[in-house]
Each structure stands twice: as C-alpha cells, then as structure tokens.
Amino acid sequence: MDWDLNMTRTFAHVGNNRQTQVTGPSRGPRPKEVPVLALEGLQDRDEEDYAVIAGMPSSPLSSMSWGSSPSAQRPETWDVGVRDTPQRNTPLVENLESLRSGCRGLLPNNPSSSQKPNPEPSASCHASEHTRIQTNDIHTRTRKLEAEGLTVERRKEAVMEQMMVDQLCRAVISDPEQNSANPVNISARHKRTLHHTMVKTQKSLTENLLSHKLRFHARIISRCGREACRELIGFFFTCDHSLTVYEYRSFGKNRYNVLPFIARGVYRTQGRPYCLADFAQGADLWFRTDVLHIPEKLRQRPYMNLRITDVDEEAKCSLLASGETTAGLSEEDNYDQKTLRAIQGAVRARLKGHAARTLMALGRRLACFDLQEKGLLDKEKLRECLIEELNITYQEFETVWRIVGQQGEVLVDSATVMRAVTGEMSEARKAVFIKVYVKLDPHKTGSVSLTDIEKFYWARQNPEHGAKIDFLTCVLNTERVEGKVAYAEFEDYYEGLSIEILSDQEYTSILSSAWSV
C-alpha cells in the first residue's frame, strides 16, 4: 500500500450546502469536526441512564457521516436523553423501561430484589436427572444387546454356509465308497473304470437331505481355559444319524475363520448311535479321542466330553413332528440320574457359606497331584481328595465313580468327577461366566494376570453376596510365582458362588456389575 497516498474526505453539514475537504495521509490525525471520545469518564454504575433515540432523521443515510459536526445537527432530530422520555411516550420507550425494571429484579446483588435465588436444586430436579440417567442406561444396554444378537446371528450364518460348502463340494465320483463297492478283490483305486462307478453312493448328499438337521452349540468340559472357551457349533443330520462340529474363531471385529472340529460321521453312545433325544441343553456328548482329528492337548485323554449349551428348539420340534424316532433313557439311567442329583444336593447343602473357598482349595490340591498337567488322576488319589475336602462318604464316592467313571480306565478326568459330586452352574450362568473370562483373556491363553484382574474388577468394596470373601482377596492371599490366575481357579470361585446364590438373575447381575460386562 502506498502510505504517501493522499485521500480527500468530504463532510456534509446539515443546514448548508458547503463542503469541507481535508487532505492528508490515509491514517492521519483526527479531523477537527470529529468530537473527542472521553473514554476516561466511563465507569460502571448500578443505575445507568439509557439514552433513547426519540426520532430518526428524515434525510437519507447517504447525507450523514461519522465526521459530521454535532453542532450542525438539529435538536429535534438528535434530541436524546432521559429528560425528554416522558414527553415522547412511544412504545419503544415503554418496553425499554419495563425491561430495565425486570432486569434489576433479577440481579443477585441488587438490594431492591425481594427474593434471593435458591442455590440448591430442588428434589424434582434430582428426580428428573436420575430418570434421565436411567433412561440413557436402558438405551445403551438395549443397543449393546442388539449388537450382540446381531453378532451371534452372523456367526451362525457363517458356520452354516461353511458347513454346506464342505458337505456338498465332494463329487460323487471321488467318494471313497466307490472303491469299496468294486466287486473285484484287488485294489481298485487305480483300476476302477467308468462302468464300475456308481451314479449315487449311500453317503452322497444333496441340499435337500442336509436341510433336515438340528443345530446346537457346545463347549468342552476342561480345566484348561484355552479348550473350555472354544466356540463350537454342531449339526445333527436325521437322514443318517450323523453329526459334525465346527469351531468359530474370531480375529477382531471383521475377521473370522470357521474350521471343522469333528468330522461328519456316525458316533455311538452306550452301543447305539446318537439320536435326536440326546441333543438337549445340558446333555453330554462323549467321543473317543483316538478317532478324531483334534488338538494334541485333547488327545492326551481317552475321551472328550462336549456339553451342549443351546439347541435350536424350533428345528427340533419340527423334526419330531415329521416322524423322527427318538430313544429315551432306560430305567437304569433314570435311576442313576436321580441318585446323582441327591448326592449333589447333600454336598451343596454342606458347602453353604464357604463353597468358594472350599472348591478353590480342592482345585489347588488336585492340581498338585497332576504333575503332568493333563487333568488325569487315578481313583485312589481322587477319592482321598474328595472325601477330605467335601466330607463325602466312601459309598457316595463309589456311586459317583460307577455312574461317571470310565470303566476299565486307570486314569480319569478329575474335573468330570469333581463336578459330578458338587454339581455345576446352569448354562445361562456359564455363558455369562465365559463372557467375563474372555474379556480378561481375549487371546485364550488359559490364565489371567493379576494386573488385568485389578484393572477390571469393580466389586472390591462390595463383596459378592454370600461369598463372605471377594474374588480379589482370594487370589491375592495365595502365593504366586508368575502373578497369574489360571482358568481353573477362576471357575472354582464362581462355581462356589453359584452354590450360594439360588437366583439366576441375581447371579448374572453380580457378575455383570463386578466385571462391567
């Protein structure tokens, strides 16, 4: 910008047509016609006199200027002040006066105010705030449940799609049954011709045959957290009484993998194939590990036990209505189940008040005998531990061993026998428990560090109902070398807490509030 540029300002004076031209720099001194601003005379006062414009000039805006001399203005045009306000009783003046009087009454330091504001909120404000917080919590919980339900449905669809692809992808010509059906005694794997190939084998499947199925969810009965937290979804086919089990693995929010866990085949229990009646919530499925392609950790045991956690009841009712035959329990099996429930009721009654501590002590003692960390113990050691820790009789142990013990096996799964004596929590409670544990151990390593437990645990000030001692105190009072809590200890504590609490809703509420799930 050229600072030497001179500008010409024209100031119009009201009352004559004379124009005064002042030349100077663009940022020059104040013109003589502009009045001096007395800023030092401004100060705060309690009552200020509001200058009200009584009238507006009739001349256009272009005839006025910031440089016009105040002496040149006509009094009737720019007559301002409080003295003339009563004479010019306009609606604008009345509104400003009423507004000023109303504002004075609202000022807290105004002595003329008749009432002082109440600094404390009323009870209605507290009630409305509490109601608003409860409403927001309900909406948040509802959205969370809807998201979880959507995630579960996506898992079911992914497993269902993968299962159908695996079962239908094998062509009939490559079915192993084609080789066994060759009438020639010699190996016909490389000599079978097209004339000796069947158009359809007994195991060849179609989408229509696979549609007659029952979907169920299961978990592995194990003291190892890595195995117990596997997400298993199985299918039972009524066309040939075969079943298959898949494992769903999640890698973050959008990555997952579906892998076969138990290959499709006909599996037997008590000398007969599994039937539709064997699939119910809480039922057990037994498999020999020497015929399955399962992880090496599970192959160390002679049998693998799957506990059914959920069944598609609608599909089951539809299959039963279509005429599917079922095989019920025999009279001996019913008698054994009643005997087992009676023993469990007596043991749980004796454990009232100290169930959590007793089960955790029993679990640590069994772990000391299990030097190979396979979860297998012989009958004598297992009987000694159960009789001393749970105060059961010799006859009760022998009855439980006859019902759940594998005949002819030297070593048995200690967790299976222990839970047969004490009983287990319901599958609804178990689902919440596994959800809590997976939050603490998302990678399913089988143990949780004490740091993570102290980080997520919120119930130290309010111990769980009936437990007499909270979980954090139990794990901190035990000497630990690595500073970690195994899945077995975590399960023993909450199995004991389940004995103390009869209501499922109260139990799940305690776990949800203690671990914020």
Side-chain angles (χ1 to χ4, degrees), residues 418-466:
M418 183 178 68
R419 295 298 179 231
V421 175
T422 61
E424 291 188 72
M425 67 177 76
S426 63
E427 292 303 321
R429 300 187 182 192
K430 198 70 174 185
V432 180
F433 164 77
I434 292 180
K435 184 178 180 181
V436 170
Y437 182 80
V438 171
K439 177 182 179 180
L440 300 176
D441 186 17
H443 301 291
K444 301 178 183 179
T445 60
S447 61
V448 183
S449 64
L450 290 176
T451 304
D452 292 337
I453 292 177
E454 294 177 349
K455 174 182 177 181
F456 291 105
Y457 192 63
W458 288 90
R460 189 170 188 178
Q461 301 300 329
N462 299 314
E464 288 90 337
H465 172 75

Side-chain angles (χ1 to χ4, degrees), residues 287-498:
F287 302 91
R288 291 193 60 89
T289 57
D290 54 354
V291 297
L292 300 178
H293 299 283
I294 57 177
E296 185 63 27
K297 182 72 174 179
L298 296 174
R299 294 179 64 88
Q300 297 176 358
R301 306 177 184 178
Y303 290 91
M304 181 180 65
N305 185 10
L306 295 187
R307 175 68 51 80
I308 297 178
T309 60
D310 187 24
V311 175
D312 188 355
E313 294 294 343
E314 183 178 355
K316 184 176 180 180
C317 294
S318 177
L319 293 174
L320 290 175
S322 62
E324 177 65 23
T325 59
T326 58
L329 295 177
S330 62
E331 295 182 0
E332 183 181 358
D333 293 337
N334 289 328
Y335 177 77
D336 290 341
Q337 294 297 326
K338 291 181 181 179
T339 304
L340 201 59
R341 286 194 292 267
I343 296 175
Q344 292 174 359
V347 172
R348 294 169 76 91
R350 290 195 296 265
L351 292 177
K352 281 286 187 177
H354 54 88
R357 288 177 292 181
T358 302
L359 293 184
M360 292 185 73
L362 176 60
R364 296 191 190 102
R365 186 171 179 180
L366 293 176
C368 293
F369 287 114
D370 185 17
L371 300 178
Q372 297 181 356
E373 297 183 356
K374 295 182 180 180
L376 301 177
L377 290 178
D378 57 19
K379 182 179 179 179
E380 286 73 17
K381 292 182 180 179
L382 190 58
R383 179 175 54 197
E384 177 186 353
C385 294
L386 294 179
I387 291 178
E388 292 182 3
E389 296 292 341
L390 301 180
N391 296 324
I392 63 175
T393 63
Y394 180 84
Q395 290 76 12
E396 290 176 340
F397 175 80
E398 290 297 331
T399 302
V400 173
W401 182 267
R402 179 182 60 83
I403 297 174
V404 302
Q406 300 297 331
Q407 302 299 328
E409 299 292 340
V410 179
L411 301 177
V412 296
D413 187 6
S414 59
T416 302
V417 180
M418 183 178 68
R419 295 298 179 231
V421 175
T422 61
E424 291 188 72
M425 67 177 76
S426 63
E427 292 303 321
R429 300 187 182 192
K430 198 70 174 185
V432 180
F433 164 77
I434 292 180
K435 184 178 180 181
V436 170
Y437 182 80
V438 171
K439 177 182 179 180
L440 300 176
D441 186 17
H443 301 291
K444 301 178 183 179
T445 60
S447 61
V448 183
S449 64
L450 290 176
T451 304
D452 292 337
I453 292 177
E454 294 177 349
K455 174 182 177 181
F456 291 105
Y457 192 63
W458 288 90
R460 189 170 188 178
Q461 301 300 329
N462 299 314
E464 288 90 337
H465 172 75
K468 305 300 182 183
I469 183 171
D470 65 334
F471 175 73
L472 194 59
T473 305
C474 286
V475 298
L476 290 179
N477 291 340
T478 306
E479 296 182 359
R480 302 178 186 277
V481 179
E482 298 180 356
K484 293 184 178 181
V485 179
Y487 169 84
E489 291 186 71
F490 205 83
E491 184 184 38
D492 290 338
Y493 175 84
Y494 282 103
E495 285 286 356
L497 183 64
S498 179

